[in-house]
Amino acid sequence: MPISYSIEPTNYCNLQCPECPSGLGTLTRPLGLLKQDDFKKLVDEIKDTAFYIQLFFQGEPYINKNLPEMIRYAQSKNIYISISTNGHFINEKNVNFVLDNAPDKLIFSVDGLDEESYQKYRVGGSFKQADEGLRSLIKRKKERMLKKPFVEFQFIVMKQNEHQIEEVKKYCKEAGVDKIVFKTMQISSYENALKFLPSNKKYRRYTLENHSFKIKKEIKNHCFALWRTSVITWDGRVVPCCFDKDAVNEIEILNGKSFSNVWSSNEYSNFRNKILSSRKSVPMCTNCTEGLKVNIFEIEQ
């Protein structure tokens, strides 16, 4: 059984980020919300072997109103919970409730320190709103002398914000985050590569040539993720990894089935063997950074 999971509370999102199929509305799979009972049933099955759940995949997790109860239930089974948010659903009015139901780690994805740079990618969002949510949470967490959540500030380096890296370090120190993670950007088209990839090539995971793009390093026929983790969508679709955003390589739909049976099924084994034989034969794997360094660097505050 896997030691970690990504479980999707919802694939709805309030933003329209250009490289996110959820925000753009290009997902072909249905939109919906994970049911609390389905989540509890899954946790009850995996609790003896799992120690880490990323309670996010596509979409904004805090759109699901049952998220606080899901967090509490998984933590009651001694499972570490992390959530990634754009911060727009955390504010001065509800911050105490968020902290009362805090995940172990909360990742704030903020890709710009002013409205111009922020909104070029976080379309439909507001840096002011994200900033206020982050600061409200950290301030109240300190006032209440709470240990959770561990607050991670994630910054994807792009053409419009690469000049802000040093400013981000100062901002995060002043705001009081626990960790900063600078990440290279994943892109899905040559047009977006030209639009968003930073000028400084050390902040890219791709090379550009002949009107195309490819991962800098050679992709080898292995993938540790297929034996370590699994992704489950809001409606129970089991997919191999987080790069399969549209569940193209769906293994099976749980729909009352035991996850352990799916994990050890012929379908899962066949997919693993396919990767070991020819990883490049799976389209999503040609744009995957498994085994490669995608973070520029991380800073513990």
Side-chain angles (χ1 to χ4, degrees), residues 15 22 52 57 89 91 197 279:
L15 304 184
S22 180
Y52 181 43
F57 179 32
F89 291 87
N91 53 57
L197 289 187
R279 183 172 158 185

Side-chain angles (χ1 to χ4, degrees), residues 219-230:
I219 296 174
K220 298 181 180 180
N221 295 328
H222 63 71
C223 179
F224 184 43
L226 294 177
W227 284 264
R228 179 192 68 209
T229 188
S230 190

Side-chain angles (χ1 to χ4, degrees), residues 8-282:
E8 182 180 68
T10 183
N11 54 354
Y12 284 109
C13 192
N14 56 309
L15 304 184
Q16 299 88 45
C17 304
E19 274 294 341
C20 175
S22 180
L24 286 177
T26 58
L27 287 176
T28 61
R29 59 186 175 94
L31 301 178
L33 302 167
L34 174 63
K35 294 179 180 177
Q36 189 171 308
D37 288 345
D38 290 341
F39 179 75
K40 288 183 175 181
K41 181 179 180 181
L42 179 59
V43 168
D44 286 342
E45 181 182 0
I46 67 176
K47 61 182 174 60
D48 293 330
T49 53
F51 71 84
Y52 181 43
I53 291 176
Q54 291 183 327
L55 202 45
F56 62 93
F57 179 32
Q58 298 302 288
E60 166 55 46
Y62 279 100
I63 288 176
N64 191 323
K65 302 300 183 183
N66 292 319
L67 189 69
E69 174 60 27
M70 293 177 190
I71 294 169
R72 289 199 307 269
Y73 190 77
Q75 289 175 334
S76 75
K77 307 299 180 182
N78 296 317
I79 298 176
Y80 186 97
I81 298 294
S82 71
I83 289 176
S84 180
T85 180
N86 57 47
H88 284 67
F89 291 87
I90 299 174
N91 53 57
E92 186 66 32
K93 292 181 179 179
N94 70 6
V95 67
N96 279 318
F97 181 73
V98 172
L99 288 170
D100 289 341
N101 304 279
D104 297 276
K105 179 167 76 171
L106 187 58
I107 303 166
F108 274 79
S109 295
V110 183
D111 308 317
L113 292 185
D114 54 51
E115 296 298 349
E116 182 181 3
S117 60
Y118 183 88
Q119 294 182 24
K120 279 185 179 177
Y121 186 75
R122 297 281 169 178
V123 179
S126 159
F127 171 70
K128 180 177 183 293
Q129 196 169 341
D131 174 60
E132 288 176 353
L134 174 65
R135 290 179 184 273
S136 293
L137 183 124
I138 294 175
K139 179 176 180 289
R140 195 62 54 84
K141 175 189 168 186
K142 289 180 178 178
E143 289 173 350
R144 294 177 57 180
M145 295 183 288
L146 300 174
K147 293 184 177 180
K148 293 189 297 187
F150 182 90
V151 179
E152 179 176 302
F153 186 94
Q154 181 176 284
F155 192 86
I156 301 175
V157 181
M158 310 175 204
K159 183 177 294 183
Q160 69 269 21
N161 66 20
E162 60 184 309
H163 63 285
Q164 295 179 339
I165 287 180
E166 292 304 317
E167 189 180 347
V168 169
K169 297 176 189 177
K170 296 176 183 177
Y171 168 86
C172 288
K173 185 174 183 179
E174 188 267 329
V177 305
D178 297 300
K179 183 179 182 179
I180 313 168
V181 174
F182 291 96
K183 295 189 71 174
T184 55
M185 185 180 185
Q186 179 190 357
I187 50 101
S188 59
S189 69
Y190 183 72
E191 291 72 26
N192 274 354
L194 296 178
K195 186 174 182 180
F196 291 108
L197 289 187
S199 302
N200 192 328
K201 293 182 180 180
K202 80 173 185 178
Y203 299 151
R204 300 181 183 181
R205 65 176 75 171
Y206 303 98
T207 57
L208 302 180
E209 53 186 42
N210 300 323
H211 299 285
S212 64
F213 62 95
K214 66 177 181 178
I215 299 289
K216 282 182 178 180
K217 297 183 180 180
E218 181 184 359
I219 296 174
K220 298 181 180 180
N221 295 328
H222 63 71
C223 179
F224 184 43
L226 294 177
W227 284 264
R228 179 192 68 209
T229 188
S230 190
V231 178
I232 302 166
T233 65
W234 71 269
D235 54 352
R237 300 166 193 260
V238 179
V239 296
C241 81
C242 61
F243 270 76
D244 197 357
K245 299 172 183 179
D246 212 13
V248 174
N249 300 282
E250 174 190 307
I251 305 296
E252 199 164 341
I253 299 178
L254 290 179
N255 194 23
K257 298 184 182 75
S258 163
F259 175 82
S260 61
N261 289 340
V262 176
W263 178 252
S264 58
S265 66
N266 288 333
E267 289 79 8
Y268 227 133
S269 294
N270 290 340
F271 187 83
R272 295 185 185 105
N273 286 331
K274 188 175 183 179
I275 298 301
L276 293 175
S277 174
S278 177
R279 183 172 158 185
K280 292 181 180 179
S281 68
V282 180

